[in-house]
Amino acid sequence: MTSMLFLANTPVPRDLTLPLPLPEGLLKTLLVIFFLIHILFVNLTVGGSLLVAIFEFLGFKNKKYDALALELAKTVTVNKSLAVVMGIGPLLCINLVYTVQWYGANALTGHAWLLIIPLIITAFLLAYLHKYTWHHWETGIAKRFHWGLVLTSTLLFLAIPFVFLANVNLMHFPSEWEKVKGFFSSLKVGNVFPRYFHFLLASVALTGLAGAGWFWRRIVVDHLDNGMSREELRRLFYQIAALATGLQFIAGPLLLFTLPAVGVTPLLYKIILPSAALGLVLFIVLLKKAKGPDENLGYGYIRLCVFFSVVVLGMGSGRHAYREASLATHQQQVRERTADYQNALTAWNEANPPSEEAEETPEQLFATCAACHAPDSKLVGPPLREIAAIYAGNPDGIVTWAMAPGKKRPDFPPMPPFSHLGPDKLRVIAEYILATAPK
Amino acid sequence: MDFPPYYLDHIAGGRLIIGLIACLHVLINHPLAVGAYPLLTFMEWWAHKHNRPDIDRLAYRITFVVFIVTTSVGALTGVGIWLSTSLFAPFGIGSLLRIFFLGWFAEWLVFISEVVLIMWWFLSWKKADTPEKKRKHIKIGLALSIMSWLTMALIVAVLGFMMNTGDWSQSRAFLDAMTAPLYLPQLGFRTAFAFMTGAVFLWFCTYFFTKKDAAARAWMVERLSHVVLSSMMVLTFFGIWYWFRIPEAMRANQSVALLSMAFVQWKDKFAMLLGWTVGAFLLIAIGGLTVPRLIPRWALLIPTFMGIWLLGHFERAREFMRKPWVIAEYLYSNGVRKDEVRFLQSEGMLAHATYVKHHTVTPENHIEAGKDVFMISCSRCHSTTGINSVLDKFTRMYGPGEWNAGGMVSFLGTMHKTSTFMPPFPGNLAEKEALVSYILDLRKTREPLSGAQATGIRLSDTTSASSKP
């Protein structure tokens, strides 16, 4: 296994020594919960934006899809803001619990990580422009340009989670870090792409499910007024959800079997397999609803949502279980290293208490000046010989100067003030200079 | 710092990038959120009370601009400060999060409510078509105004804490940051600043949205002039208070106790800028009250730029007071803790570092080892050849001719005393010499130095890092 080869060179850094503000277990639970809330809105943003792009495209031929695209676009601009604010919570927790691994991965993909900010800003502004110019750029070339806007913002919305995923993926495998040279090479570590497809399909499935609820509301359908009935709309969104959920049965196993072995444990299977089984039930129900008669569309929505949430919770917990298992050894090593270092540090500090006297000898005090003043040659400032000549018998003159140096020699840089040492210490230094300077 | 070093060769420690993002954020947050929300809410309320749909429409249009900007650039630059700091100073942000988790958590909740409220307020504006709905709608604006002010109040507390940890080492309480000597004058200064610039922003927008509506324009200009005048007086008061409080705050920070020349210059410039800015705003406000028609649109840009300049300068004070520290008296800006310094000076920093090629300096490796020493101890503030570069700094000291290696080594021993904004050198003699070799070599080759994000991490192949304490 390749990862074994590199095990010898796994970086095991020292962690921060400040205690965690909350118990570790609690922070991890919060991490999973906050993350799921965050990802919910991310999914709705990414999936929503994608569907808007598709519907608007279909709208070129059939106007009813154009109206649908606009209604959906209005939800995207709200969801995207919630996705950002809700992202802070999981970020807070992951910073605390996986400090060393998370910041390490961030640094290794640094440019891409920093680029996220302008990318999101651009995507947001494009999404606004797209939404608020809908009725201004409605025909001909303007409409095509308008579609170009949502296409661009969708591509950005697709790229941004990819960078996050690459970081999340990379943090699992410190043993591989030595191979990583920049963002793109980090994609060779672990299994970023299967993770990404899994996420993408989840986004579409969730948006489908949410759409089936949103466009069931009479007020929305009345407002939409594009000739599509509630049933027709719900069926459409069920179809979308069913398609994406069905494809998960390719993406899911792919993700599972490409996971590097370090974190794969029986526990992972115990969480993932039942969730997948439930996912299968969900898929069948969705398919039935999508194909069945209109009467069946009217009920069972809430139950579907509950099903879906349980599947998502299972997948989220599975991810966490994998993370815990894959990082268990590394976390333990980091803890030991940090503790060893702290112990060595404490022992050393106890054995070597700061001795005021040692720092107080005139010679040591003078070291502050020695960086710039040598006995006989010019360093930064004039040599001591010159100083001693100017201030012979006048140590207080040196003190006065050093407290607030002026500007004297045109070809020298200014000397910084040393008033923080205080007149007493400066006086000791001054006497030392006068006594030791070459005559 | 024991993290893979993210490092941009020409920009050094990223102060520039963090600084730019932070300035942009503050420049949006203060006028457009803290200042504009309450003013717009007031407009909505007044229009409702006096039945003036024109004023309501104007408020709505300005809110549209505010909504677009704050929910995109405004919100994301706030996140950006965090992401960029976690790259350049993970030890700093990581430690602050541990100390201030609850503060940050509260800040998050307030931020969520702020975002939800601005979306709710703006998107439901047109739907509030009955007096009851309108009254409720105005209340959303009010809640939004309060939340955005609270966000600022919490952030300022964190900033204040970084400058002056006060009793934290004993109490570790968030409250101590709130009672730091600079907290109130800072908060007051920022609040007044927000209202003053927010009013000018509204004024500016008004010119665009009231081309055909002289009544609404006159209404706005008169009221905004009053806002500018009164917030300007408050600003002056808090600015002076701040100005007087700073030396006291600095004295608390032991190692920067000296009022360095740079700082004296800062203080004088602050006083001057405060004077000019207040003057510019005063002129505009008086103009607005006496000859509103004669004020051209571009004239509003002058006080705005003065204000930006003043605030930028205001923010720089933090750097002076904080310089060698990320967290005063606890953590230096190169990621070394105060209690580690003497230990590392005796044992060597490389021996205990993870992301380095060599754990000890030898005659064969001294230049390469020196590179790692530079990365650990200097790279958070200095670049090699770009902004604030070490070569320039040494050139300033030793001139363009030959540099004396012995003098440089002795400089490293006392650098924190000769230049008090630098932390002490956290390594032993061999490492000082290695660093000097590297710098002298760099001077010849000017070879660029790249960070972990480009060329990866450097690990020692002799020892597996885990075997080292």
Side-chain angles (χ1 to χ4, degrees):
Chain A
M1 247 170 69
T2 48
S3 64
M4 290 308 288
L5 273 177
F6 278 85
L7 217 54
N9 251 343
T10 302
V12 180
R14 286 175 276 129
D15 199 354
L16 303 177
T17 47
L18 286 167
L20 288 178
L22 293 177
E24 198 175 327
L26 179 58
L27 280 171
K28 285 178 177 166
T29 315
L30 290 179
L31 171 62
V32 174
I33 296 172
F34 290 163
F35 176 75
L36 287 176
I37 300 176
H38 164 61
I39 206 72
L40 170 81
F41 291 108
V42 173
N43 283 331
L44 289 176
T45 306
V46 174
S49 188
L50 198 64
L51 290 183
V52 172
I54 295 173
F55 286 150
E56 193 179 352
F57 181 74
L58 296 176
F60 286 129
K61 291 237 164 59
N62 187 340
K63 273 289 155 213
K64 72 177 183 190
Y65 287 113
D66 194 69
L68 184 57
L70 172 58
E71 257 343 274
L72 204 57
K74 289 183 189 161
T75 65
V76 172
T77 47
V78 171
N79 288 329
K80 60 114 182 69
S81 279
L82 292 174
V84 165
V85 274
M86 300 319 287
I88 301 208
L91 210 52
L92 267 175
C93 297
I94 205 165
N95 275 332
L96 288 168
V97 193
Y98 302 102
T99 311
V100 161
Q101 293 90 358
W102 178 245
Y103 287 133
N106 290 173
L108 284 168
T109 60
H111 290 328
W113 185 239
L114 205 54
L115 216 59
I116 283 183
I117 297 298
L119 286 183
I120 303 184
I121 293 179
T122 316
F124 279 21
L125 290 175
L126 284 174
Y128 283 136
L129 188 64
H130 178 251
K131 176 176 152 190
Y132 290 108
T133 52
W134 204 288
H135 296 302
H136 298 279
W137 297 341
E138 268 184 319
T139 49
I141 189 90
K143 181 67 180 169
R144 286 186 193 268
F145 179 73
H146 188 253
W147 184 66
L149 291 178
V150 72
L151 200 63
T152 318
S153 66
T154 302
L155 288 177
L156 289 173
F157 279 133
L158 287 172
I160 295 154
F162 189 66
V163 176
F164 272 96
L165 261 172
N167 267 275
V168 171
N169 172 66
L170 188 60
M171 74 173 269
H172 289 85
F173 312 110
S175 59
E176 309 280 308
W177 285 3
E178 207 183 4
K179 291 193 283 189
V180 175
K181 313 234 174 309
F183 173 73
F184 289 104
S185 79
S186 80
L187 303 181
K188 290 185 208 134
V189 172
N191 59 346
V192 190
F193 291 97
R195 266 172 192 266
Y196 184 65
F197 291 127
H198 191 59
F199 156 81
L200 257 190
L201 289 172
S203 296
V204 176
L206 186 72
T207 311
L209 193 66
W214 184 256
F215 289 101
W216 187 251
R217 298 166 60 213
R218 281 192 204 284
I219 177 166
V220 177
V221 180
D222 290 347
H223 187 76
L224 179 62
D225 193 26
N226 68 343
M228 289 172 92
S229 68
R230 288 167 89 201
E231 285 75 18
E232 201 179 339
L233 283 162
R234 181 163 265 193
R235 190 183 302 280
L236 174 66
F237 281 99
Y238 274 155
Q239 280 165 346
I240 294 170
L243 178 69
T245 309
L247 289 175
Q248 283 298 32
F249 287 92
I250 302 174
L254 191 69
L255 168 60
L256 188 60
F257 297 131
T258 53
L259 277 178
V262 279
V264 180
T265 52
L267 178 67
L268 180 68
Y269 282 101
K270 274 183 215 152
I271 299 174
I272 292 286
L273 292 184
S275 316
L278 203 61
L280 193 64
V281 178
L282 181 74
F283 174 55
I284 294 168
V285 177
L286 277 171
L287 219 52
K288 266 197 177 151
K289 295 253 177 210
K291 292 206 161 139
D294 275 2
E295 300 85 78
N296 287 359
L297 289 169
Y299 60 90
Y301 180 68
I302 302 289
R303 202 167 38 204
L304 270 177
C305 290
V306 173
F307 262 63
F308 198 91
S309 311
V310 176
V311 176
V312 168
L313 196 66
M315 296 297 166
S317 313
R319 266 162 185 256
H320 185 70
Y322 181 77
R323 180 161 53 230
E324 280 297 289
S326 66
L327 283 178
T329 322
H330 194 248
Q331 289 274 64
Q332 184 55 31
Q333 286 170 330
V334 168
R335 254 193 298 275
E336 277 165 18
R337 168 116 200 269
T338 311
D340 287 350
Y341 176 80
Q342 271 312 103
N343 293 339
L345 173 65
T346 316
W348 192 93
N349 276 340
E350 269 161 20
N352 301 276
S355 51
E356 285 296 321
E357 273 111 77
E359 276 193 45
E360 299 295 295
T361 69
E363 199 183 341
Q364 264 151 338
L365 278 175
F366 174 71
T368 319
C369 323
C372 302
H373 296 290
D376 231 349
S377 57
K378 169 189 180 238
L379 285 180
V380 181
L384 296 182
R385 180 194 289 281
E386 190 181 324
I387 294 180
I390 300 175
Y391 292 100
N394 179 15
D396 283 332
I398 298 184
V399 174
T400 314
W401 167 269
M403 290 289 283
K407 184 88 187 86
K408 218 172 172 185
R409 298 164 181 78
D411 48 337
F412 282 65
M415 170 173 147
F418 286 87
S419 50
H420 56 293
L421 291 181
D424 295 346
K425 285 185 185 171
L426 286 174
R427 172 81 197 214
V428 176
I429 298 176
E431 274 159 12
Y432 176 84
I433 293 179
L434 293 181
T436 57
K439 298 273 153 25
Chain B
M1 107 159 180
D2 215 16
F3 292 92
Y6 179 80
Y7 172 75
L8 299 173
D9 200 26
H10 298 288
I11 316 189
R15 273 170 200 284
L16 188 70
I17 291 193
I18 301 177
L20 281 178
I21 300 179
C23 274
L24 193 58
H25 180 68
V26 167
L27 285 177
I28 290 174
N29 171 277
H30 285 12
L32 268 68
V34 180
Y37 294 152
L39 295 176
L40 291 165
T41 310
F42 170 79
M43 282 173 75
E44 194 193 6
W45 170 81
W46 194 91
H48 175 62
K49 190 161 167 234
H50 296 89
N51 197 17
R52 282 281 293 270
D54 56 331
I55 302 296
D56 189 82
R57 203 171 326 118
L58 182 58
Y60 175 75
R61 288 177 155 182
I62 301 178
T63 306
F64 174 68
V65 178
V66 170
F67 166 76
I68 298 284
V69 177
T70 51
T71 54
S72 59
V73 189
L76 265 302
T77 42
V79 181
I81 300 176
W82 195 4
L83 295 198
S84 54
T85 322
S86 67
L87 282 177
F88 291 109
F91 48 85
I93 190 89
S95 305
L96 283 170
L97 282 181
R98 287 173 188 225
I99 298 167
F100 268 163
F101 179 73
L102 288 181
W104 238 285
F105 195 76
E107 165 70 25
W108 179 43
L109 299 182
V110 177
F111 183 42
I112 295 177
S113 57
E114 198 186 331
V115 169
V116 169
L117 286 168
I118 175 69
M119 291 198 293
W120 189 13
W121 193 44
F122 173 69
L123 296 172
S124 67
W125 196 302
K126 290 258 169 92
K127 290 178 196 141
D129 44 12
T130 64
E132 288 88 71
K133 282 192 190 160
K134 195 70 185 164
R135 268 196 293 279
K136 189 177 149 212
H137 190 257
I138 294 168
K139 282 194 192 126
I140 304 175
L142 193 64
L144 172 62
S145 309
I146 295 171
M147 283 305 167
S148 71
W149 186 83
L150 262 184
T151 310
M152 182 175 80
L154 281 170
I155 290 277
V156 172
V158 176
L159 296 180
F161 170 84
M162 286 161 71
M163 279 190 269
N164 178 354
T165 37
D167 295 334
W168 167 72
S169 40
Q170 283 86 46
S171 72
R172 310 213 164 190
F174 193 61
L175 211 62
D176 283 330
M178 297 261 188
T179 52
L182 283 178
Y183 183 69
L184 281 182
Q186 257 223 68
L187 189 61
F189 183 85
R190 284 174 194 274
T191 309
F193 180 87
F195 273 90
M196 197 168 85
T197 48
V200 171
F201 173 76
L202 258 59
W203 194 335
F204 195 67
C205 292
T206 303
Y207 277 170
F208 283 91
F209 294 136
T210 57
K211 291 212 175 89
K212 292 185 218 98
D213 190 354
R217 182 179 294 191
W219 185 92
M220 277 296 273
V221 169
E222 194 204 326
R223 271 164 191 80
L224 291 175
S225 304
H226 283 296
V227 176
V228 170
L229 265 184
S230 41
S231 48
M232 193 195 69
M233 280 186 269
V234 181
L235 180 91
T236 316
F237 169 76
F238 282 108
I240 293 175
W241 185 2
Y242 188 70
W243 197 80
F244 278 112
R245 268 298 173 85
I246 279 196
E248 191 185 318
M250 301 230 336
R251 264 190 296 278
N253 191 347
Q254 291 286 309
S255 69
V256 203
L258 95 158
L259 287 169
S260 64
M261 271 184 291
F263 177 68
V264 173
Q265 280 166 8
W266 178 91
K267 235 179 128 197
D268 291 347
K269 195 167 163 199
F270 180 72
M272 185 196 72
L273 273 174
L274 184 65
W276 281 107
T277 311
V278 166
F281 278 92
L282 186 69
L283 220 61
I284 281 288
I286 291 179
L289 287 177
T290 51
V291 283
R293 262 154 235 251
L294 294 183
I295 300 183
R297 200 177 291 177
W298 56 263
L300 293 173
L301 294 177
I302 299 173
T304 308
F305 284 123
M306 289 301 301
I308 291 176
W309 194 3
L310 174 68
L311 194 70
H313 194 65
F314 175 80
E315 303 279 349
R316 281 195 63 207
R318 268 212 312 281
E319 290 201 9
F320 282 108
M321 276 178 280
R322 210 186 75 188
K323 216 40 175 268
W325 304 106
V326 177
I327 299 172
E329 298 295 325
Y330 172 73
L331 184 68
Y332 286 110
S333 352
N334 54 6
V336 174
R337 291 198 314 270
K338 186 183 178 187
D339 66 337
E340 290 175 307
V341 172
R342 286 185 318 119
F343 174 65
L344 293 177
Q345 282 171 344
S346 146
E347 300 243 312
M349 69 176 93
L350 295 178
H352 294 284
T354 306
Y355 298 100
V356 293
K357 191 83 203 151
H358 307 281
H359 288 303
T360 43
V361 180
T362 62
E364 292 78 44
N365 73 17
H366 66 291
I367 291 180
E368 222 185 357
K371 192 193 260 187
D372 283 329
V373 171
F374 176 81
M375 205 49 125
I376 296 178
S377 50
C378 320
S379 74
R380 297 304 98 188
C381 306
H382 293 292
S383 74
T384 52
T385 55
I387 296 174
N388 207 15
S389 94
V390 260
L391 291 185
D392 286 353
K393 296 296 141 194
F394 276 111
T395 309
R396 201 172 67 191
M397 285 174 64
Y398 296 120
E402 188 80 6
W403 291 353
N404 179 319
M408 288 168 78
V409 169
S410 119
F411 165 82
L412 291 175
T414 56
M415 57 189 255
H416 58 297
K417 291 188 183 151
T418 54
S419 317
T420 41
F421 26 75
M422 285 201 272
F425 182 79
N428 60 21
L429 181 63
E431 288 163 348
K432 282 182 206 161
E433 288 167 350
L435 176 59
V436 169
S437 304
Y438 169 68
I439 293 175
L440 291 175
D441 182 68
L442 177 73
R443 195 180 182 209
K444 274 195 258 123
T445 61
R446 300 188 76 85
E447 184 188 296
L449 177 65
S450 51
Q453 80 282 4
T455 46
I457 48 176
R458 283 193 288 270
L459 296 179
S460 154
D461 25 48
T462 46
T463 23
S464 129
S466 49
S467 68
K468 266 275 161 201

